[in-house]
Amino acid sequence: PKGRELFRSQRKESEGSVDCPNLEFEYGDADGHGAELAELYSYTEEPELSHNRRCFEEDFRTQVPDRRWLQLDGAQQKAYVMRLLDGLEVVNRDKRLRVARAILYLAQGVFGDCDNEGDVLHWSRHNSFLLYQLGTFSAFLELLNMEIENSQACSSALRKPAISLADSTELRVLLSVMYLLVENIRVERDADPPEWKTCRETFRMELSFPVHAEEPFALLLFTMVTKFCSGHAPHFPMKKVLLLLWKVLLFTLGGFEALQAMKVRRREELGLPPLPEDSIQVVRGMRAASPPTYTIELVEQQQQQQQQQQKRGHRSRRPLMKQDSLDIYNERDPFKNDEGGVDEEENDDVDSGIEGELDLMERDAIIPAMPAQRLPIERVSFPKGLPWAPKVRQKDIEHFLEASRNKFIGFTLGQDTETLIGLPRPIHESVKTLKQHKYVSISDVQIKNEEELEKCPMSLGEEEVQETPCEVLYRAMLYNLPQYMIALLKILLAAAPTCKAKTDSINILADVLPEEMPITVLQSMKLGIDVNRHKEIIVKSISALLLLLLKHFKLNHIYQFEYVSQHLVFANCIPLILKFFNQNIMSYITAKNSISVLDYPHCTVCDLPELTAESLEAGDNNQFCWRNLFSCINLLRILNKLTKWKHSRTMMLVVFKSAPILKRALKVKQAMMQLYVLKLLKIQTKYLGRQWRKSNMKTMSAIYQKVRHRMNDDWAYGNDIDARPWDFQAEECTLRANIEAFNSRRYDKPQDSEFAPVDNCLQSVLGQRLELPEDFRYSYELWLEREVFSQPIRWEELLHCQ
């Protein structure tokens, strides 16, 4: 029975691996504008939309009778908003909340006056610009600060056995208005009037470089996250805080395309050659590969083939088993076929590799079992040539020359890469080719500059640090950065689908659970979908903001990036991400945790059909869930950033047995996701052993075709000198020392610097008047007698010292 259960579970796990369609997914900074606004609200908050409308309309009728908001001209709209903002100044908390709800209704697009979703989104943007220009964001920032410090709300929430929507009402209204302003103003449109473009830049500057406060707005949100995780404020609506934090970072620091442009500009400033290609465009042009076939599918296919052949009276030929079967059963060597069959590589088309649905040997095994009416399997051929230009580091050239000199001459010349005397002609050609593809990164230049500043602090003087939004943010985050990273990872763990509910884990459902728990099956199903969706949105926002932070800090200064990376690694980010992927990843990517009729803005302008258990189970008709695929790619990119060129962290991937987990993620036929999985497999292949590499030739072929080549990189064989295990501890410690030296030099303000100027002139030193303590006058003669006159001078010791 146990064996049958294992077989069933493996079969379930392998479902969809061959039949998974190509996913038409375009990776970007964020989802569509409407989808991003919809994710701000949980389905349990839906009744509050009409509550906001009532608050607005009751007030609006008293001020502008017999008119609608859309009928007012610009001046009248401004006058009304100014009157609303004055209402925020009242002492009465309930009145203040009603005014805040009326402002939220304006930011939500006055949907009561609109006929379709497009109009709601249009007026939401229009009103957001109007509200910002009249100072709404600053007013709400003051209210948010007050609400964060509201000790009464905190103590009330701490006393409750269960937190619900009611505990976070004020905070949710304030954060929703701020999110709508940030998101609507952040998104650019070609048709935007010039004053909106000016307004966007002003807002970006206000969020990046605070005038009145000492810290940027993002830091307030980071503080909310740590306060929530410490247990002092369990009522904070974390999903809204994290969404707002992500969008503020995206707005102030810039998205992926802005990053690429900044990188190009920075390379020009440093006098480095231009980038060999635009990585965003290369990845967008890639095509997905077919995943490796899994064991259970192979067993079934072989059984079908044997039955077919026995019916026809043919002798059953034992087919070549594919790589994954060897992973589990380790039964046979793929290069030794008892029947004298052809090796795996010989039967592959030159350009197809893993791109073809199945290789010829496998087709021989499977096609007879297919129904006759099925169309032949489409073979996708990869375009000629490799997608990436190869890169070589200075270190690689030095290693190559060191090995060549040792072999042919018998001695080395250190870091000299110019002298080639005594080396044979082919070595000269090799060095020339390596130098043609040499790539110097911005990080290399920054590390070299840092070494020079550490060596010669006096002669090089003060470093000129450019005051960018990224620099301001790092300086503000620096001293509490470890706590911020730990808090984000705690929430990510609580929101991961593989996480089992524990009594001591943090409750992230403060802004989704209703006051009265569901009593019918339908209500329970709806809440279940809402909770899952809520967790998915949290994972999406944390993965996106962590990736943004890492990418921007790396461009700003490599040691800022390394500081964040090291604290993520110390907080167990690597096993956490692997734990996240240790699930049926196809189920996660195709999850239907959405009720499209309840999504904003659809629910505001359309009559809602009656929901049934069947309609909730059916979900939407989308091929995949955009946010979940986006989250998966972000987490893979973070894992790549943490482990790249770090052998100690690569060993963590090996120790935590990441290879089978990552290989399962190759089932998802989306080129970008597959690329980052293959990168993670590539860096650890040399540690996985010869047997693993022999058994996984399809995966090795995919790595060769999709991942950038590093000339002289020994990834496929494991003879690399960097693979020595005893260097790992030292590597991490050296990195930590470099980071601390950087932070200390740039951000610590020493009181008495050891580099302060010294007066060496005898006359001026003796001429200084010193304030001596009162008791010195009485005891100095005694001190001279005891310490100076009575002590014999040992001349031989003085000579010995010299």
Side-chain angles (χ1 to χ4, degrees):
K2 280 185 182 175
R4 201 173 295 134
E5 280 173 30
L6 176 69
F7 187 87
R8 276 202 202 105
S9 68
Q10 286 178 336
R11 178 174 181 167
K12 196 174 180 183
E13 183 69 28
S14 71
E15 275 173 13
S17 63
V18 170
D19 298 322
C20 168
N22 284 306
L23 304 182
E24 299 298 323
F25 170 82
E26 189 164 327
Y27 184 79
D29 292 320
D31 202 349
H33 187 53
E36 290 295 337
L37 296 186
E39 288 180 354
L40 179 63
Y41 314 103
S42 56
Y43 297 141
T44 42
E45 281 180 281
E46 188 204 337
E48 293 190 21
L49 291 168
S50 50
H51 187 20
N52 299 340
R53 180 181 174 179
R54 274 197 309 276
C55 289
F56 171 81
E57 287 178 349
E58 283 167 15
D59 185 80
F60 191 68
R61 273 194 221 104
T62 61
Q63 301 302 313
V64 193
D66 307 322
R67 300 283 293 279
R68 294 166 64 193
W69 174 260
L70 308 189
Q71 294 169 338
L72 303 184
D73 60 27
Q76 290 169 319
Q77 288 183 346
K78 279 183 182 177
Y80 178 70
V81 170
M82 289 301 287
R83 210 202 62 76
L84 271 182
L85 291 174
D86 288 341
L88 290 175
E89 302 293 327
V90 297
V91 177
N92 185 303
R93 190 179 167 87
D94 290 334
K95 284 183 181 174
R96 227 174 31 230
L97 180 61
R98 290 184 69 77
V99 174
R101 282 192 179 282
I103 292 172
L104 176 55
Y105 176 70
L106 282 173
Q108 285 171 337
V110 287
F111 47 81
D113 296 350
C114 297
D115 300 323
N116 56 56
E117 293 176 39
D119 285 353
V120 177
L121 294 175
H122 166 78
W123 282 103
S124 178
R125 280 195 87 219
H126 175 275
N127 293 345
S128 294
F129 277 97
L130 175 69
L131 288 166
Y132 172 69
Q133 286 163 342
L134 298 174
T136 308
F137 192 86
S138 305
F140 272 71
L141 183 53
E142 283 180 32
L143 290 174
L144 181 63
N145 274 309
M146 278 169 52
E147 202 55 48
I148 290 168
E149 298 304 322
N150 185 347
S151 54
Q152 189 183 347
C154 289
S155 55
S156 165
L158 285 165
R159 281 197 304 273
K160 285 192 172 184
I163 307 285
S164 71
L165 277 174
D167 297 293
S168 59
T169 305
E170 286 86 356
L171 278 168
R172 282 187 296 107
V173 171
L174 298 175
L175 290 165
S176 295
V177 171
M178 296 171 102
Y179 178 87
L180 288 167
L181 293 187
V182 169
E183 182 63 5
N184 279 318
I185 295 173
R186 180 188 74 81
V187 175
E188 296 184 44
R189 296 271 188 272
D190 294 335
D192 288 352
E195 61 268 21
W196 281 16
K197 290 177 182 173
T198 313
C199 181
R200 182 177 296 116
E201 280 313 304
T202 312
F203 194 19
R204 184 185 277 126
M205 294 298 282
E206 183 187 326
L207 291 172
S208 308
F209 306 105
V211 181
H212 305 297
E214 295 85 36
E215 56 199 26
F217 176 58
L219 201 77
L220 176 69
L221 299 173
F222 272 118
T223 310
M224 286 184 78
V225 173
T226 49
K227 203 171 176 185
F228 171 80
C229 283
S230 66
H232 296 311
H235 65 299
F236 281 2
M238 255 314 103
K239 184 188 84 174
K240 285 183 168 53
V241 172
L242 290 165
L243 279 173
L244 179 55
L245 177 54
W246 166 38
K247 291 304 169 64
V248 166
L249 293 177
L250 190 57
F251 187 27
T252 55
L253 304 181
F256 300 130
E257 288 186 9
L259 257 166
Q260 188 76 1
M262 285 157 68
K263 199 173 180 180
V264 169
R265 198 164 58 247
R266 186 69 60 86
R267 288 184 70 84
E268 278 177 19
E269 289 167 7
L270 294 171
L272 296 172
L275 290 164
E277 71 273 294
D278 183 340
S279 53
I280 296 171
Q281 297 308 320
V282 174
V283 174
R284 278 182 184 160
M286 278 189 172
R287 298 162 96 168
S290 293
T293 311
Y294 277 70
T295 312
I296 304 308
E297 293 166 1
L298 277 165
V299 171
E300 287 177 354
Q301 289 160 7
Q302 285 164 24
Q303 286 172 352
Q304 285 176 343
Q305 184 205 14
Q306 284 167 6
Q307 287 167 7
Q308 293 270 334
Q309 288 177 339
Q310 281 165 8
K311 281 178 189 174
R312 293 177 190 144
H314 290 167
R315 184 174 65 87
S316 68
R317 183 167 68 86
R318 190 176 180 184
L320 180 69
M321 289 183 81
K322 209 178 173 191
Q323 59 202 43
D324 299 74
S325 52
L326 288 144
D327 285 353
I328 297 170
Y329 298 111
N330 208 11
E331 283 180 357
R332 54 189 278 115
D333 188 330
F335 292 92
K336 293 174 186 170
N337 195 336
D338 294 352
E339 305 295 331
V342 191
D343 278 355
E344 187 180 36
E345 265 61 60
E346 288 176 16
N347 256 339
D348 274 29
D349 286 356
V350 178
D351 290 320
S352 69
I354 199 171
E355 305 301 324
E357 185 73 35
L358 302 155
D359 69 11
L360 297 180
M361 287 296 284
E362 289 161 342
R363 285 177 163 223
D364 187 35
I366 296 165
I367 286 175
M370 288 184 177
Q373 68 269 26
R374 283 277 297 275
L375 292 168
I377 295 170
E378 181 188 354
R379 285 181 69 85
V380 182
S381 61
F382 199 77
K384 300 270 181 203
L386 296 167
W388 304 99
K391 283 182 181 177
V392 179
R393 296 179 298 166
Q394 176 71 15
K395 189 178 163 188
D396 298 330
I397 301 173
E398 288 168 12
H399 281 171
F400 176 72
L401 275 170
E402 187 180 3
S404 303
R405 284 172 185 146
N406 265 328
K407 183 177 178 182
F408 293 106
I409 306 172
F411 65 87
T412 60
L413 298 173
Q415 295 181 332
D416 182 345
T417 57
E418 301 303 318
T419 310
L420 302 176
I421 295 164
L423 295 172
R425 191 76 201 153
I427 300 293
H428 288 236
E429 294 295 327
S430 300
V431 172
K432 184 183 172 187
T433 307
L434 288 174
K435 285 183 176 176
Q436 276 176 352
H437 293 96
K438 181 180 165 184
Y439 176 77
V440 180
S441 68
I442 295 168
S443 302
D444 295 337
V445 177
Q446 289 169 342
I447 290 169
K448 196 175 176 185
N449 289 347
E450 195 58 31
E451 284 171 3
E452 288 173 6
L453 282 163
E454 284 291 330
K455 278 182 200 165
C456 320
M458 294 295 288
S459 56
L460 292 174
E462 280 289 314
E463 179 193 16
E464 280 187 35
V465 181
Q466 206 177 347
E467 197 75 344
T468 59
C470 191
E471 182 63 33
V472 171
L473 180 66
Y474 182 79
R475 197 166 54 236
M477 286 177 70
L478 180 59
Y479 295 106
N480 290 316
L481 197 139
Q483 288 89 319
Y484 299 147
M485 295 304 115
I486 289 166
L488 287 171
L489 293 182
K490 268 188 179 177
I491 298 170
L492 184 61
L493 176 64
T498 50
C499 179
K500 301 287 181 287
K502 291 179 186 171
T503 49
D504 59 340
S505 66
I506 50 176
N507 177 15
I508 53 170
L509 305 177
D511 46 343
V512 69
L513 294 177
E515 285 181 87
E516 295 175 4
M517 292 309 281
I519 46 172
T520 67
V521 173
L522 190 66
Q523 287 172 339
S524 298
M525 283 180 72
K526 183 180 161 187
L527 183 59
I529 290 171
D530 207 1
V531 166
N532 288 338
R533 173 178 177 268
H534 181 82
K535 287 182 174 180
E536 287 172 5
I537 294 166
I538 286 175
V539 171
K540 171 186 172 180
S541 54
I542 292 178
S543 67
L545 78 87
L546 280 176
L547 181 62
L548 265 183
L549 280 176
L550 288 171
K551 286 186 80 68
H552 276 282
F553 285 153
K554 188 172 185 186
L555 184 58
N556 201 50
H557 199 288
I558 182 65
Y559 284 137
Q560 294 177 349
F561 161 79
E562 295 292 7
Y563 188 53
V564 176
S565 298
Q566 211 163 50
H567 280 293
L568 285 172
V569 172
F570 293 161
N572 282 333
C573 186
I574 292 174
L576 169 54
I577 294 176
L578 292 174
K579 180 183 171 74
F580 181 89
F581 280 97
N582 195 19
Q583 58 170 313
N584 188 337
I585 209 71
M586 279 306 300
S587 297
Y588 186 69
I589 277 164
T590 55
K592 309 272 188 207
N593 291 316
S594 290
I595 308 168
S596 52
V597 292
L598 295 182
D599 279 338
Y600 168 91
H602 184 275
C603 64
T604 60
V605 288
C606 301
D607 293 328
L608 299 183
E610 190 179 346
L611 291 173
T612 61
E614 289 75 24
S615 67
L616 289 183
E617 269 184 1
D620 53 32
N621 297 321
N622 293 334
Q623 187 190 22
F624 56 89
C625 176
W626 196 97
R627 68 174 159 264
N628 288 356
L629 189 44
F630 178 70
S631 301
C632 287
I633 292 174
N634 288 340
L635 290 170
L636 288 168
R637 294 184 79 183
I638 290 165
L639 202 48
N640 267 292
K641 292 221 164 295
L642 296 181
T643 51
K644 191 177 181 181
W645 303 123
K646 305 284 189 308
H647 300 290
S648 53
R649 297 174 194 176
T650 305
M651 283 307 291
M652 287 176 78
L653 291 178
V654 178
V655 168
F656 291 123
K657 295 184 168 58
S658 67
I661 294 170
L662 292 167
K663 266 182 62 186
R664 278 205 302 274
L666 286 173
K667 288 180 182 182
V668 182
K669 285 173 77 172
Q670 203 284 322
M672 192 169 194
M673 182 161 165
Q674 287 182 344
L675 172 69
Y676 290 110
V677 170
L678 292 169
K679 279 186 171 189
L680 287 164
L681 285 169
K682 177 185 174 180
I683 59 173
Q684 56 177 315
T685 47
K686 62 181 139 196
Y687 305 112
L688 293 173
R690 185 166 169 268
Q691 183 58 45
W692 188 92
R693 294 193 292 273
K694 280 172 66 180
S695 307
N696 289 274
M697 290 310 292
K698 283 289 177 193
T699 307
M700 300 287 277
S701 167
I703 291 169
Y704 176 81
Q705 284 192 331
K706 287 193 181 298
V707 182
R708 186 191 301 279
H709 284 257
R710 296 269 173 182
M711 291 186 178
N712 285 9
D713 182 4
D714 207 11
W715 67 272
Y717 301 100
N719 304 321
D720 198 331
I721 61 164
D722 282 332
R724 291 176 297 191
W726 53 86
D727 287 338
F728 296 152
Q729 196 75 30
E731 179 190 55
E732 208 70 55
C733 289
T734 308
L735 179 61
R736 192 171 189 179
N738 290 339
I739 294 165
E740 284 174 359
F742 163 77
N743 283 335
S744 172
R745 183 190 62 74
R746 194 186 271 197
Y747 302 106
D748 286 354
K749 298 295 177 212
Q751 302 303 314
D752 297 312
S753 173
E754 59 183 297
F755 303 118
V758 177
D759 188 353
N760 292 319
C761 176
L762 187 63
Q763 282 181 320
S764 68
V765 171
L766 293 175
Q768 285 175 7
R769 289 193 62 81
L770 294 172
E771 290 295 325
L772 296 168
E774 191 68 32
D775 57 347
F776 180 80
R777 295 175 187 178
Y778 303 114
S779 60
Y780 83 96
E781 288 178 340
L782 182 64
W783 181 85
L784 277 172
E785 183 62 40
R786 192 179 67 238
E787 298 291 334
V788 182
F789 301 141
S790 64
Q791 293 289 334
I793 299 170
R794 298 185 181 89
W795 297 103
E796 69 281 358
E797 283 189 20
L798 283 170
L799 290 167
H800 182 65
C801 289
Q802 286 179 353

